Amino acid sequence: MPRILVVDDDVDILSVMKILLTMKGFEVEVTSKGEDALPKTESFKPDLILLDVLISGHDGRTICKLLKSNKTASHIPVIMFSAHPGAAATISDYGANDFIAKPFDVNNLMKKVNAQLGISAN
């Protein structure tokens, strides 16, 4: 069962993502704190990270760059998400593999998650 780590400071989004992704057959861990992203990555060992661009007190792009420069996390695909339309233009500079705009379209989210995990659509 693929593992997904979701990092967002919006507890409602964390709750919805956990329920949705769990229902789709993934093992899901969530955190609302940007500083927990790397420690949770090292302990949970996710196959994919969903990371908000703006997290209280932290810039998700900086967290992504930190993850991508860490030898234990650099191979993990990161999908960043944001309600800010201009955010998509800069995420690749920080090593992110893809971008999803908020509010999420569930079908688009699942398409991108499956693509990063190498899972073919049913």
Side-chain angles (χ1 to χ4, degrees), residues 2-45:
R3 296 170 167 229
I4 300 175
L5 173 64
V6 184
V7 185
D8 194 328
D9 58 355
D10 184 327
V11 293
D12 292 332
I13 288 179
L14 289 178
S15 179
V16 167
M17 294 285 268
K18 183 159 186 148
I19 291 166
L20 171 70
L21 293 168
T22 300
M23 286 174 44
K24 296 290 186 178
F26 299 102
E27 188 174 339
V28 182
E29 183 78 28
V30 299
T31 183
S32 62
K33 297 178 182 175
E35 64 270 18
D36 288 346
L38 184 57
K40 284 212 176 263
T41 298
E42 291 173 344
S43 63
F44 181 60
K45 300 186 182 351

Side-chain angles (χ1 to χ4, degrees), residues 82-98:
S82 177
H84 190 278
T90 62
I91 57 121
S92 64
D93 296 342
Y94 295 86
N97 300 81
D98 208 339

Side-chain angles (χ1 to χ4, degrees), residues 35-108:
E35 64 270 18
D36 288 346
L38 184 57
K40 284 212 176 263
T41 298
E42 291 173 344
S43 63
F44 181 60
K45 300 186 182 351
D47 299 297
L48 175 68
I49 299 170
L50 296 173
L51 175 62
D52 192 12
V53 171
L54 297 174
I55 303 170
S56 297
H58 297 280
D59 185 328
R61 293 167 292 203
T62 305
I63 294 168
C64 183
K65 192 171 188 173
L66 172 73
L67 290 166
K68 290 298 189 172
S69 67
N70 182 287
K71 67 177 181 175
T72 61
S74 62
H75 68 285
I76 303 169
V78 176
I79 300 175
M80 298 200 73
F81 50 90
S82 177
H84 190 278
T90 62
I91 57 121
S92 64
D93 296 342
Y94 295 86
N97 300 81
D98 208 339
F99 179 82
I100 299 172
K102 286 181 185 178
F104 302 119
D105 172 81
V106 173
N107 291 328
N108 186 42

